[in-house]
Amino acid sequence: MTTRADRDGAVLTVSGELDLAVAAALGTRVEAALAQGYTRLVMDLRDLTFCDCAGLTALLRARRSATEHNGWVRLAAVQPRVARIIQIAGLAAAFPCHLDNAAAFNGSLPVPPAEKPLRRARSADPPTIRSRPPRQRPPPGALPRNRPARVSIGGNAQPVTVAIRLRTPGRSQDSDKV
């Protein structure tokens, strides 16, 4: 990251990745430029390959600081991938992307954002809805399926016979099931 003075303001060149590790350094550079009286800042992003949410936050903080000093921050030579991140984050209005540093200082019209849809286009065919067949429930009062029970003792599974006493409605006696 470098800073150089220009007759119209300061140019901060950001390269590599603008993430949590670098965001504080960008803030320091912006504050130093503002302390020297440069209120019009251009961020040259031609060598920036990645920007995460911490980087976007650093850009927003730089913009706020410059605005507090009656200045501005503009972005120049933004790579398509970074411009896309700015667009998806909804910051395209706050950070218009200019072709180069001179265009950013002159305030000429920014480069229009890429005409990519934010989501994939849906096909003309209606979506196929896959559903499971309804679960077969036993009729009321039906007995559960007989499944052999196994009990594991010491790692060896042994078959076990279990006697279940069921009380059926309408019957006075208990019946044994094995």
Side-chain angles (χ1 to χ4, degrees):
M1 189 175 323
T2 61
T3 307
R4 70 177 170 82
D6 191 274
R7 64 180 169 85
D8 297 321
V11 177
L12 285 82
T13 304
V14 184
S15 59
E17 297 181 353
L18 183 54
D19 56 8
L20 185 60
V22 182
L26 178 64
T28 304
R29 297 279 181 146
V30 168
E31 291 302 323
L34 292 171
Q36 294 175 5
Y38 298 109
T39 58
R40 300 186 326 177
L41 306 176
V42 172
M43 304 274 183
D44 186 346
L45 305 181
R46 77 182 71 245
D47 296 325
L48 185 67
T49 58
F50 175 77
C51 182
D52 67 359
C53 61
L56 292 175
T57 302
L59 290 174
L60 286 169
R61 286 182 180 155
R63 181 176 181 262
R64 183 181 65 208
S65 295
T67 304
E68 289 171 356
H69 287 85
N70 297 320
W72 44 256
V73 171
R74 294 182 182 158
L75 306 181
V78 181
Q79 296 295 321
R81 177 180 285 170
V82 176
R84 182 86 173 131
I85 292 169
I86 291 169
Q87 179 186 11
I88 290 171
L91 298 175
F95 293 110
C97 301
H98 299 272
L99 283 175
D100 57 11
N101 297 342
F105 277 121
N106 294 335
S108 61
L109 293 176
V111 177
E115 294 296 326
K116 290 184 179 178
L118 293 179
R119 294 186 179 150
R120 289 184 186 169
R122 295 180 185 219
S123 66
D125 299 332
T128 304
I129 299 174
R130 297 180 188 174
S131 62
R132 294 185 205 168
R135 192 172 130 193
Q136 299 294 325
R137 298 184 188 268
L143 297 176
R145 293 184 185 162
N146 293 332
R147 292 191 179 132
R150 290 192 165 287
V151 176
S152 178
I153 301 173
N156 296 327
Q158 302 293 325
V160 176
T161 303
V162 179
I164 302 173
R165 293 181 60 93
L166 298 175
R167 194 168 280 183
T168 309
R171 291 179 123 191
S172 60
Q173 296 182 344
D174 292 337
S175 61
D176 290 337
K177 292 281 183 184
V178 177

